[in-house]
Amino acid sequence: MPTPQDAPGVGRSPGRWSGLFRTKSVEQSILDTDDPDSRLRKDLTAWDLTIFGVAVVVGAGIFTLTARTAGNVAGPSVSLAFVFAAIACGLTAVCYAEFASTVPVAGSAYTYSYATFGELVAWIIGWDLILEFALAASVVAKGWSQYLGTVFGFDSATVRWGSVTFDWGAVSLLAVLGVLLAVGTKVSSRVSAVAVAIKLAVIALVLVLGITYFKASNLSPYIPPSQPAEESASGLHQTLFQFITGAGDTNFGWYGLLAAASIVFFAFIGFDVVATAAEETKNPQKAVPRGILGSLLIVTVLYVAVTLVLTGMVPYTELAGENATLATAFQIQGVDWAKNVISIGALAGLTTVVMVLFLGQTRVLFAMARDGLLPRRLAHTGKRGTPVRLTVIVGVICCVLAGFVDFGTLEEMVNIGTLFAFVLVSVGVIVLRRTRPDLPRGFRVPLVPLIPILAVAACLWLMVNLSVETWLRFVIWMAIGFAVYFAYGRRHSVLGKKAASADGPAPSMT
C-alpha cells in the first residue's frame, strides 16, 4: 500500500491515529548513522560477527540441556530434535539476514519494525527487546557465578546480609564486560574470540574423549516408545496449549521428539543479537548475513555432534533426572576429572553469552534514543565510537538484577520476548518486499512468502508451548510499554516532530 511522504523520512497514513503508525524510511535510518554525535565506529567483519553468533548461542546449555533432554524427553533422538530446531531457527535467521543486509542499522527487530509496521509497533518490539536482553544477561550472569565456584573450588560466589543475598560473582562479570564494551566493540570481539576458542577446545576434547566410549547399541531404539510424563503441570504453570486443549504431557515417541525440539530451540536463540551490530560492521550487506547464517551452521553441527556422542556413550535411561549433565556420562564411564574441564568450558561459554547480550541491549536502546523514543542524550557516542552512557546505565541495571534478584520462572520471559521479535521480523520481510521492492538487498530470502510464513508458524507453535503464567507477565509488560510510549515516546519522537513541523500540530488525541 503506497504511503504519502509528508516529511523527509516519514511515511504517514491519513487519519486520526496516523502518528502511531508513521514509518521511518530505510533511507532515513541509514542517513541517521552519519550523525557525528551518535555515530558508531565500523570495526567488525563477517568473522567477528560469526564469533559473536557462536559466542552467544553456545553457552552452558550444550553441557546441560543436551543430557537432560535426552534422559527425560527424547532419548537418542535428541540429535534429530536439534536438527528440527535448527531448521525452525534457520527460517527466522534468513529473514533477519535479509533485513540486516537491507537496513544495516543498529536496533535489529526494532529498526526493522519501524520501517515496516510503524512507530507504535517499533516501540513495542523495542520494549520487548529491553526485557529480553536485560533479563537474559542477568540470568546468564547468575549461572556464570555458579560455575565460578565449581572451577575455583569455593562453595558460592554470594554473600548474605540478613535476608538479602548478594551475588558478587555475577556483578563482577557484568562490571568487567561493561568496561570492555565501553572501550570498543573490536576489543570486545577479541576477548570474545579467546573465550570462544576455550569453550570450543573443551567441546572438542569432550567429542574426542567421548567417542572412545561410543557404542552404537546405545542409540537403539533411536525413538523410544512413548510414555506418559510422571508429573503434569497445572493451573498457570501449564502451557497455553495445554490450557486451551486440555492435552496432557507425553515423553519419548514422536510427541516427545517434537517436545524436545521445542525445548532445544531455545538453545539456538541469540543469533539475532548479531543483527544489532550491523551498524558497526564493514560491508554489512554481505558480512551480517554471513555472520548470522555461518554461526547458526557452526552451532548446529556442534549440538548434533555432542548429542550423538553423549547418547552413544551411555544408555539414555542413565541420563534421567533434573541433575543430569554431560559430565554425568563421563562419571558413569569413570572419567570424573571431565567434570572440571566441562565446568571451565561452561564458564568460558557463559562469559561470551553475557557479553553479546549486553552488547545487544545497549544497541537497541541506542537506536530508540536516536529516534527520540527515549532521551536523545543517551545516544551520544564517546571518542571510541561506543554509547558509553547507555553502557553504564545497562550495566548498573543488570548488576542490580543479577546481584539481588532470584529470577525463578522469569527466565521464560526471555523466550517469549525473543519469539515475539522473530514473528514480527518474519512478517516484516513480506511487508517490505511489497512496499519497497526497489530496495537493494544484499541477501534475499528464497521462496517468499512461504519461508517467512513457515517461520511465523514455527515461532507461534513454540509460543503456545510456554506457560500461561509467562503469557500473563508478557501482557503486563507490554501494557506498561504502551503507557510509557504515550507518556513520553510519542511526544518526543524525532519523526513526529518532523511531521508536525511540515504539517502543523499533530491531531489531538482528546
Side-chain angles (χ1 to χ4, degrees), residues 254-271:
W254 280 101
Y255 287 108
L257 173 59
L258 294 176
S262 297
I263 293 171
V264 302
F265 176 89
F266 299 113
F268 287 95
I269 63 175
F271 72 85

Side-chain angles (χ1 to χ4, degrees), residues 99-156:
F99 258 123
S101 70
T102 310
V103 195
V105 179
S108 186
Y110 159 78
T111 301
Y112 310 153
S113 296
Y114 215 154
T116 51
F117 302 110
E119 185 171 286
L120 179 61
V121 177
W123 164 266
I124 289 301
I125 197 62
W127 186 253
D128 165 66
L129 292 174
I130 291 172
L131 172 73
E132 174 193 341
F133 290 142
L135 272 184
S138 303
V139 167
V140 178
K142 290 184 78 70
W144 182 92
S145 181
Q146 294 173 356
Y147 277 102
L148 186 68
T150 303
V151 172
F152 291 100
F154 50 83
D155 293 335
S156 174

